[in-house]
Amino acid sequence: MPSITSTEPKSATAQSAVVDSTVSAEGYKKSLSGRQVTMIAMGGAIGVGLFMGAGGRLASTGPALIFSYAIAGVIAYLLMRALGELIMYRQTSGSFVSYAGEMFGKKGAYVSGWMYFINWAMTGIAELIAIGLYFQFFFPNVPVEMTAIAALLLLVGVNLLSVKAFGEFEFWASCLKVGAIVIFLAVGTFMVVTNAQVGEGHASVNNLFAAEGGMFPKGALVMILVLNAVIFAYNGIELVGITAGEMQDPAKEVPKAIRAVVVRIVVFYVGSVTLLAMLLPSDQYKAGTSPFVTVFGQMGLGWMGDVMNMIVITAALSSCNSGLYSIGRIFRTRANNGHAPTGLTRMSKCHVPYAAILAIGGVYLVGILLNIWLGGSYAFDLALNSASIGVIFTWGAIFASQIALRKAKGKVSSLPAPGGTWVSWVGLVALLAITVLIGFDTMTSKTGDVFHLGLWTLATIPFFALMLWLGWQKVKNNEPRNALFN
């Protein structure tokens, strides 16, 4: 059986000691501390979806967006409870790909792994280009692609150093994001309670009902249709499952993270959107501008807008950093399953899957360069929207694996999901409904032309299916290269 790490000791006794004390069976260093895991779990899903995307969605949906985030938050809660049961059944850096492989065979691991790649490939490219766009707020003459490539080099370097370096970067980035949200929640609540002036109006609960139609100025249906974009905003919440294989004490940290993170994220998202809708009428927000920057600008605090733009850049860096980390581990799992090139199994002396990380870094670089050609067209928006298909499939794989685990082995986890399999069945039905709703998503250009983005997004599903089928014909007879990754 081939070695899974280039630093495997020759002494069997020494190897056993190392594996038992500091290195997981899959060859990863158990370096993520409790504080890092907690902040990664809290900050993993707090990204550009909130700091930037909420503005455009408030403008297009109105205060009803609060309910959209609440509904998505419930689905996220169900997901985390299902994932928690799986993690405590077996900790692995292959996460849901390994679980899908165990429950549904090689094809399950193959499909779930590639769909997760599609998710983060699209998302990571978008985040890097977004960093370049946000950076132009401070340095308008710097090309977007130059900043995006610089950010990519920084993040690849961090991930190649060690998992501890990744964890520390995410810890401080999450501290900044969570700290900014907490301060905003406190200040925003105070302003609403005191009826403080914001622009030409005042912060008030009345802003929720100021527009014609009250909380539903665009109609109740829009609140449901926007769920696709809102679910994408929660992307990354499943990261705690991948980090489990490199935690110092997963038995202690996983239950703590699972139980705490969902409540906190829902409070941050739903609480922030609710306050934003109270501070200003929803029609004063606009796409492409952080809603927090809009609020502080209306208050005459331009310098706070600058700070929030820096936090938006940090959020994008953090999200892309998580993508590099997670896909690096998933790529290596797929390579050991025989579903990707053998070279992607290579590990560095620091127990980092450097080949897989460099591979996804190369994909991101190609995406950045293609943006020069695709810039200004609907193609980029279509690519980003297609990432939501990967998110929905990933979450679906987690729900399905929990159902299969219960059916095959009963309650074998120390952190069972409340209600057993009904948690996952409700989640699967909700994801199916959201997938159907994607077809109604549209975009309106500055000239007033309507582009049926949702229909084009759904059209990518048969394309992905064809590519996956062709790939499966090539690898289906491959034997796993290492039984640890089955």
Side-chain angles (χ1 to χ4, degrees):
M1 181 173 65
S3 169
I4 62 172
T5 171
S6 60
T7 59
E8 183 177 6
K10 294 182 180 180
S11 166
T13 304
Q15 179 184 359
S16 177
V18 171
V19 170
D20 289 343
S21 60
T22 64
V23 180
S24 71
E26 296 166 313
Y28 295 109
K29 192 80 170 178
K30 298 180 181 179
S31 301
L32 292 177
S33 65
R35 68 178 177 85
Q36 291 173 331
V37 171
T38 299
M39 292 309 297
I40 288 172
M42 288 178 62
I46 301 176
V48 177
L50 174 62
F51 285 112
M52 180 62 70
R57 287 190 280 273
L58 270 170
S60 63
T61 309
L65 184 67
I66 298 168
F67 299 111
S68 302
Y69 273 97
I71 293 170
V74 171
I75 300 174
Y77 169 76
L78 300 179
L79 176 89
M80 292 302 283
R81 292 313 306 260
L83 180 60
E85 179 168 336
L86 290 165
I87 295 173
M88 295 312 295
Y89 159 68
R90 179 166 65 88
Q91 290 92 54
T92 168
S93 289
S95 190
F96 61 90
V97 175
S98 292
Y99 304 137
E102 179 178 349
M103 303 302 163
F104 304 108
K106 293 193 298 183
K107 187 178 291 186
Y110 169 81
V111 175
S112 59
W114 274 110
M115 289 305 292
Y116 195 62
F117 165 77
I118 290 171
N119 167 17
W120 275 111
M122 303 290 188
T123 303
I125 292 169
E127 300 283 18
L128 288 166
I129 293 172
I131 290 169
L133 292 171
Y134 305 151
F135 197 74
Q136 285 191 322
F137 178 85
F138 302 101
F139 302 97
N141 295 324
V142 177
V144 170
E145 288 74 21
M146 181 180 295
T147 304
I149 291 173
L152 175 61
L153 292 175
L154 168 66
L155 297 178
V156 168
V158 168
N159 275 269
L160 290 179
L161 283 176
S162 66
V163 68
K164 187 174 182 179
F166 159 80
E168 203 64 19
F169 184 98
E170 280 302 293
F171 173 80
W172 290 109
S174 294
C175 282
L176 181 61
K177 292 187 291 184
V178 172
I181 294 297
V182 170
I183 292 173
F184 174 76
L185 290 174
V187 173
T189 300
F190 175 79
M191 294 178 67
V192 171
V193 170
T194 59
N195 199 31
Q197 184 171 356
V198 182
E200 297 180 356
H202 291 81
S204 171
V205 176
N206 293 331
N207 284 328
L208 295 175
F209 314 97
E212 183 178 350
M215 292 196 71
F216 304 90
K218 310 292 183 178
L221 181 60
V222 177
M223 174 194 75
I224 304 299
L225 296 180
V226 79
L227 276 173
N228 169 43
V230 173
I231 282 289
F232 181 75
Y234 282 89
N235 184 28
I237 195 173
E238 74 286 341
L239 184 63
V240 66
I242 299 174
T243 61
E246 294 173 88
M247 294 179 186
Q248 293 176 351
D249 189 0
K252 175 183 177 182
E253 297 304 332
V254 169
K256 179 181 175 183
I258 293 292
R259 291 188 176 112
V261 67
V262 176
V263 175
R264 290 170 182 168
I265 287 177
V266 170
V267 169
F268 291 154
Y269 270 95
V270 178
S272 294
V273 173
T274 301
L275 279 175
L276 287 168
M278 290 181 180
L279 291 170
L280 285 172
S282 59
D283 60 4
Q284 294 192 31
Y285 296 103
K286 59 182 179 179
T289 301
S290 170
F292 302 95
V293 173
T294 300
V295 169
F296 290 125
Q298 292 277 10
M299 294 170 59
L301 300 175
W303 64 273
M304 280 299 296
D306 295 346
V307 172
M308 289 307 302
N309 272 304
M310 285 301 301
I311 293 174
V312 170
I313 292 174
T314 302
L317 282 168
S318 173
S319 177
C320 190
N321 190 45
S322 297
L324 276 169
Y325 170 86
S326 58
I327 285 297
R329 273 66 183 171
I330 296 298
F331 252 19
R332 182 167 178 256
T333 296
R334 288 171 38 241
N336 275 291
N337 282 336
H339 299 160
T342 307
L344 296 178
T345 63
R346 295 174 183 169
M347 296 277 277
S348 71
K349 294 180 179 179
C350 298
H351 301 275
V352 169
Y354 71 91
I357 290 172
L358 289 174
I360 188 61
V363 171
Y364 285 173
L365 178 60
V366 171
I368 293 170
L369 297 178
L370 282 176
N371 182 63
I372 301 174
W373 177 51
L374 299 177
S377 71
Y378 289 118
F380 179 74
D381 297 295
L382 178 61
L384 183 58
N385 214 43
S386 298
S388 63
I389 299 296
V391 176
I392 290 172
F393 190 94
T394 295
W395 288 23
I398 293 171
F399 285 133
S401 295
Q402 190 265 347
I403 293 172
L405 175 65
R406 282 293 186 99
K407 183 177 180 180
K409 307 194 179 209
K411 190 186 294 186
V412 295
S413 173
S414 60
L415 189 65
T421 58
W422 76 264
V423 164
S424 292
W425 280 115
V426 171
L428 285 173
V429 171
L431 292 177
L432 178 61
I434 291 171
T435 302
V436 173
L437 292 172
I438 289 175
F440 297 92
D441 192 14
T442 61
M443 286 185 63
T444 303
S445 69
K446 294 180 180 179
T447 61
D449 295 329
V450 176
F451 177 66
H452 295 283
L453 180 63
L455 292 177
W456 282 97
T457 300
L458 291 181
T460 65
I461 294 179
F463 172 76
F464 291 150
L466 176 62
M467 293 298 100
L468 288 172
W469 182 81
L470 292 174
W472 176 247
Q473 301 311 306
K474 182 176 179 62
V475 304
K476 64 181 180 180
N477 295 322
N478 291 352
E479 291 298 321
R481 300 183 177 106
N482 195 304
L484 290 172
F485 295 83
N486 286 348

